[in-house]
Amino acid sequence: MTRPLTATIDLNAMRHNFSVVRSSVPNAKAWAVVKADAYGHGLERAVRAFADADGLALIEIDHAINLRKTGWQKPILLLEGFFKADELPELAENEISFAVACDEQMAMLEKAVLPKPVNVHLKMNSGMNRLGYLPSAYRTAYERLSRIPSVKSISYMTHFANSEDPSHPKVPVSEQLRRFDGATAGLPGERNLSNSAAILLHPYIRTDWVRPGIMLYGGTPGGKSAEEYGLIAAMSLDSEIIQIQNIRKGDSVGYGSLFTAEADMTIGVVACGYADGYPRVAPEGTPVIVDGVRTRLVGRVSMDMLTVDLTPVKGAHVGSKVNLWGKELPIEEVAVAAGTVGYELMCALSSRPQVIELD
């Protein structure tokens, strides 16, 4: 018998979401971001779903090289660049572009003897304070990079810290753009800007390339619901009720007896737990759909099971269908309840659920 837990991946939903990118920023080329195994959806599936993308962006060097070996001929970009000098010849041979974000990478590139010239995306730290050169050091970095004989082209890249919040009091998009524009003014080359939130909320940003990630998979980067953005969930996590318990007022449920019934109630045991990718920290009240009826999680999520309140679900039985997130229940609602973001839930999906592919 197969455990009744499935993750359905809808490639047509992914294609639809990419079309939203095109309609939002029609004048920009688009990197489809497929890092972290395409946000848990499967890299091979993403390659088929995003065949119309202008390029693929990720951070895993071995996966980038394998994309070439399996036939992807369009551009590939490594968002964090390379990590060791001995990686450079193979990246050059496979015509894989990469970010350069620090002097250590710059020095390795200067010393490298490469079989082919490379395309480099010079990363600016315009306020996020992760990777990249500060605006004050950016032109010096550009000049140094432009003197390396193996560098064929230089593009300009930064990442927005708060693109989902246009009026953020610390680092608004407008301030990052001001810093970026000032540091790159007059320099030749393409601009590589705009994550999902910037595409949807700031489509006016002047850029040659955009880098959609979460929106490609039907997740919302903030501001509004995915449905309001015209996005469709590409991943659904579904299970079944595997046992029913009728408990009395005062009875408790699960490890630590965290939940205590305030009245007689019916509890359903669901075949899904944190070893499957469902967040262990999801609290009582996290939404769950059973046989099309919205109900709630009760008790602590365990490794292989979780428990839900079946009191409002008339006729619930062993085998009743349970939707944990997807088209019926936006993944962001579950994520917010668990104090995290939909990105984490997608990426945390384990290899245990049976995967059903819709194409």
Side-chain angles (χ1 to χ4, degrees):
M1 297 290 290
T2 301
R3 186 164 173 253
L5 178 65
T6 60
T8 301
I9 308 297
D10 187 342
L11 274 65
N12 286 318
M14 295 161 71
R15 294 184 183 105
H16 167 83
N17 296 333
F18 186 79
S19 75
V20 176
V21 175
R22 290 293 198 208
S23 62
S24 299
V25 283
N27 298 321
K29 292 174 285 188
W31 299 103
V33 179
V34 295
K35 62 184 179 177
D37 199 29
Y39 289 50
H41 293 68
L43 183 57
E44 183 274 334
R45 295 184 192 96
V47 170
R48 288 187 281 131
F50 304 137
D52 291 337
D54 301 292
L56 299 177
L58 65 170
I59 67 167
E60 301 89 353
I61 292 174
D62 55 340
H63 292 178
I65 292 170
N66 193 53
L67 285 171
R68 283 285 184 245
K69 291 179 179 177
T70 54
W72 181 266
Q73 298 180 351
K74 296 181 187 180
I76 299 173
L77 172 61
L78 290 169
L79 296 166
E80 292 182 0
F82 57 94
F83 305 99
K84 303 291 182 183
D86 60 9
E87 296 163 344
L88 282 165
E90 192 169 15
L91 296 180
E93 181 63 38
N94 285 281
E95 299 182 3
I96 295 171
S97 305
F98 49 81
V100 167
C102 62
D103 285 343
E104 289 78 8
Q105 286 177 318
M106 187 83 74
M108 286 187 276
L109 188 55
E110 286 171 329
K111 295 174 184 176
V113 178
L114 302 181
K116 294 180 181 179
V118 293
N119 298 311
V120 175
H121 291 243
L122 186 61
K123 186 73 176 282
M124 182 189 298
N125 173 14
S126 61
M128 194 164 188
N129 289 321
R130 294 194 314 189
L131 300 180
Y133 288 91
L134 290 170
S136 59
Y138 198 76
R139 283 182 178 260
T140 299
Y142 164 81
E143 292 167 2
R144 184 177 172 184
L145 191 58
S146 65
R147 292 193 293 267
I148 300 176
S150 59
V151 173
K152 179 168 63 175
S153 70
I154 303 173
S155 298
Y156 312 109
M157 178 180 175
T158 196
H159 194 62
F160 296 120
N162 300 297
S163 48
E164 74 285 355
D165 183 0
S167 59
H168 195 278
K170 290 186 177 179
V171 190
V173 168
S174 58
E175 176 58 21
Q176 286 193 260
L177 277 174
R178 186 191 67 78
R179 296 171 186 175
F180 185 84
D181 289 342
T184 60
L187 296 179
E190 293 187 315
R191 295 158 64 97
N192 178 0
L193 301 172
S194 295
N195 56 3
S196 293
I199 291 166
L200 294 169
L201 297 173
H202 311 277
Y204 58 85
I205 290 175
R206 182 174 64 86
T207 183
D208 300 291
W209 287 85
V210 294
R211 303 189 304 274
I214 191 67
M215 68 180 293
L216 295 178
Y217 307 98
T220 173
K224 295 186 290 187
S225 70
E227 184 179 9
E228 289 175 298
Y229 286 124
L231 303 171
I232 301 173
M235 176 192 290
S236 294
L237 185 63
D238 297 281
S239 187
E240 295 180 3
I241 301 296
I242 60 173
Q243 189 166 343
I244 292 176
Q245 299 286 353
N246 294 299
I247 65 173
R248 306 299 296 273
K249 179 180 179 179
D251 287 347
S252 57
V253 177
Y255 285 118
S257 301
L258 296 183
F259 174 80
T260 300
E262 296 181 352
D264 294 354
M265 62 187 300
T266 304
I267 298 294
V269 181
V270 180
C272 183
Y274 61 77
D276 302 299
Y278 196 88
R280 182 178 182 275
V281 295
E284 175 191 337
T286 299
V288 179
I289 305 285
V290 179
D291 284 345
V293 177
R294 179 176 288 248
T295 185
R296 58 180 178 138
L297 182 75
V298 294
R300 178 176 285 166
V301 176
S302 54
M303 182 180 288
D304 310 306
M305 292 171 279
L306 55 84
T307 45
V308 298
D309 180 6
L310 291 182
T311 306
V313 187
K314 306 306 179 186
H317 54 87
V318 170
S320 283
K321 303 302 181 183
V322 179
N323 177 239
L324 297 161
W325 64 67
K327 293 182 175 68
E328 288 186 85
L329 176 61
I331 197 170
E332 286 77 22
E333 288 193 44
V334 181
V336 168
T340 185
V341 291
Y343 306 66
E344 182 177 357
L345 301 189
M346 291 179 187
C347 294
L349 185 72
S350 80
S351 60
R352 300 207 312 176
Q354 175 189 357
V355 176
I356 297 172
E357 181 182 297
L358 301 180
D359 191 3

